[in-house]
Amino acid sequence: LLQIALFLYEDMTALDAVGPYEVLARLPDTEVKFVASTPGPKKTDVGLVLTADSSLDDVPEPDVIVIPGSGKVPFLDDPAAVDWVRQAHEASQWTTSVCTGSLLLGAAGVLEGKRATSHWAVREYLRNFGAEPVSERVVIEGKVITAAGVSAGIDMALALAGYLAGDAEARALQLVIEYDPQPPYDSGSLEKADPETQQRATEVLPRGLGQPVPR
Amino acid sequence: LLQIALFLYEDMTALDAVGPYEVLARLPDTEVKFVASTPGPKKTDVGLVLTADSSLDDVPEPDVIVIPGSGKVPFLDDPAAVDWVRQAHEASQWTTSVCTGSLLLGAAGVLEGKRATSHWAVREYLRNFGAEPVSERVVIEGKVITAAGVSAGIDMALALAGYLAGDAEARALQLVIEYDPQPPYDSGSLEKADPETQQRATEVLPRGLGQPVPR
């Protein structure tokens, strides 16, 4: 049984976790654990409550680690989570993040000397952890995969599904979740968005984002 | 305050709700209510628990209705939900669905004589409710919007955000959730997937999907 640990925490962004989950939980012979420093309900950054069913100690050696990000607490100051990531990463097949979740990977030393990405609003802070920030949607470095902001977790999970179960299975999962994106606008990355859109997006982001992240 | 009612139920697909939620909950002057026939935790079709905080009676006249679908119970046989949709639709600004959620709109009489879409596996059953099934990602008919399977709710919500708050705000929200999709495969619709992928996807879908839906 392939064990996937999805890390949940207060003020995280729900879609960062739910995007990868919808793909990975449908892989054959797979179990998904929703882990947290303290199991129970977690209120996400714009209100929806997600529930963690396992403690970090319950899932010490998952095959796949998925760390979602947050629009409120870009840098999660949780030593237990940092320790868990550091130790779980030693035995993992894949260690992954979505959005600002890469900063937690960074804090655990996972990104030292690696190319990595994050939500555009905090991408540069990856340097604090010895990583080289790159503007790519999904960055694969050995067994470490970092994805860009929020929705990028879906693309990341489909790539990961291909590695875990083969291209045919991953293509089937893309069809199951009917992922044939047709956004009505073309402003989904910093490079594509005009200055007005960038300005407004920065205003919409909760205040926590864009703050310096301590080493 | 714009009130958005997101309908939750047992065995629904989490991403059907969480995709639109991440966009719509970030609109200015907006409140999102997670409504259910019985409030409380709902175990979704591949395991994640989402929590409904309001009863249907608590939110009788939302401005926006969002009905997610399910991979397990394509046709939700819940008379209270059907009545709520029928009545709430009379006063709504927008009535929307994702994936098989359109069948609940159909059961409430909302789709009579309209073009509509759904998850590809159940799309033809829209005829049972007097609708004309079409293979489009997002179908807008007056104030009724239906979206294709699972991930299509994100595209739907961005289009809806544009109608509710203007193109500039919707573009900013696209950048906030960094929705610049780059799927690693191109099999996200029935039309694009090869026969092997279609066959495997049908096997992966829970058994409930593909069953005839009674009128």
Side-chain angles (χ1 to χ4, degrees):
Chain A
L1 208 63
L2 186 86
Q3 191 181 55
I4 297 176
L6 244 154
F7 178 65
L8 303 186
Y9 56 100
E10 201 76 13
D11 287 327
M12 60 172 281
T13 301
L15 185 54
D16 290 18
V18 174
Y21 150 83
E22 285 293 359
V23 174
L24 301 176
R26 293 171 200 272
L27 285 168
D29 305 319
T30 295
E31 94 179 322
V32 176
K33 295 284 194 182
F34 300 96
V35 304
S37 298
T38 311
K42 306 292 164 191
K43 188 165 182 176
T44 63
D45 56 4
V46 271
L48 177 66
V49 172
L50 300 182
T51 301
D53 50 27
S54 304
S55 73
L56 298 175
D57 291 343
D58 290 339
V59 188
E61 295 196 341
D63 299 298
V64 178
I65 302 166
V66 183
I67 309 291
S70 166
K72 272 195 175 169
V73 283
F75 180 70
L76 182 68
D77 189 14
D78 178 343
V82 173
D83 285 347
W84 177 77
V85 170
R86 183 182 290 117
Q87 288 169 32
H89 174 61
E90 287 180 19
S92 74
Q93 284 181 43
W94 294 95
T95 300
T96 75
S97 66
V98 181
C99 196
T100 69
S102 54
L103 298 176
L104 183 55
L105 296 191
V110 168
L111 301 181
E112 189 77 41
K114 291 191 168 65
R115 300 166 71 252
T117 196
S118 193
H119 192 285
W120 53 266
V122 305
R123 208 160 49 202
E124 282 301 309
Y125 302 135
L126 287 166
R127 295 191 196 281
N128 295 7
F129 306 108
E132 179 197 339
V134 293
S135 171
E136 294 173 16
R137 191 149 177 88
V138 175
V139 177
I140 303 174
E141 288 263 292
K143 72 174 190 180
V144 177
I145 313 184
T146 53
V150 193
S151 60
I154 302 173
D155 298 308
M156 185 275 282
L158 286 169
L160 180 54
Y163 292 117
L164 288 166
D167 291 342
E169 191 72 17
R171 273 194 290 264
L173 291 174
Q174 183 183 10
L175 182 55
V176 165
I177 66 162
E178 214 162 342
Y179 189 47
D180 178 31
Q182 296 169 30
Y185 304 96
D186 189 23
S187 62
S189 73
L190 208 54
E191 291 71 21
K192 292 177 178 172
D194 59 32
E196 182 200 3
T197 299
Q198 295 182 20
Q199 174 61 31
R200 179 64 190 145
T202 304
E203 291 162 10
V204 171
L205 285 170
R207 289 230 309 241
L209 276 185
Q211 299 305 306
V213 174
R215 166 86 210 213
Chain B
L1 209 63
L2 186 86
Q3 191 181 55
I4 297 177
L6 244 154
F7 178 66
L8 303 187
Y9 56 101
E10 201 75 12
D11 288 325
M12 60 172 281
T13 301
L15 184 54
D16 290 17
V18 174
Y21 150 83
E22 285 293 358
V23 174
L24 301 176
R26 293 171 201 273
L27 285 168
D29 305 319
T30 295
E31 95 180 321
V32 175
K33 295 285 193 182
F34 300 96
V35 304
S37 297
T38 310
K42 306 293 165 190
K43 187 166 183 175
T44 63
D45 55 3
V46 271
L48 177 66
V49 172
L50 300 182
T51 301
D53 51 28
S54 305
S55 73
L56 299 174
D57 291 343
D58 290 339
V59 188
E61 294 196 342
D63 299 298
V64 178
I65 302 166
V66 182
I67 309 290
S70 166
K72 271 195 175 168
V73 284
F75 180 70
L76 182 68
D77 188 15
D78 179 343
V82 172
D83 285 348
W84 177 77
V85 170
R86 183 182 290 118
Q87 287 169 32
H89 174 62
E90 286 179 21
S92 74
Q93 284 181 42
W94 294 94
T95 300
T96 74
S97 66
V98 180
C99 197
T100 70
S102 55
L103 298 176
L104 182 55
L105 295 191
V110 168
L111 301 181
E112 189 77 43
K114 291 191 169 64
R115 298 166 73 253
T117 196
S118 193
H119 193 286
W120 53 264
V122 305
R123 207 160 51 201
E124 282 301 309
Y125 301 135
L126 287 166
R127 296 190 195 282
N128 295 7
F129 306 108
E132 179 197 341
V134 293
S135 172
E136 294 173 16
R137 191 149 176 88
V138 176
V139 177
I140 303 174
E141 288 262 293
K143 72 174 190 179
V144 177
I145 313 184
T146 53
V150 193
S151 60
I154 302 172
D155 298 310
M156 185 274 283
L158 286 170
L160 180 54
Y163 291 118
L164 288 166
D167 291 342
E169 191 72 17
R171 273 194 290 264
L173 291 173
Q174 184 183 11
L175 183 55
V176 165
I177 66 162
E178 215 163 341
Y179 189 48
D180 178 32
Q182 296 168 30
Y185 305 96
D186 189 22
S187 62
S189 73
L190 208 54
E191 292 70 22
K192 292 176 178 172
D194 60 32
E196 182 201 2
T197 299
Q198 295 181 21
Q199 174 61 31
R200 180 62 190 146
T202 304
E203 290 162 11
V204 171
L205 285 170
R207 290 231 308 242
L209 275 185
Q211 299 305 307
V213 174
R215 167 87 210 209

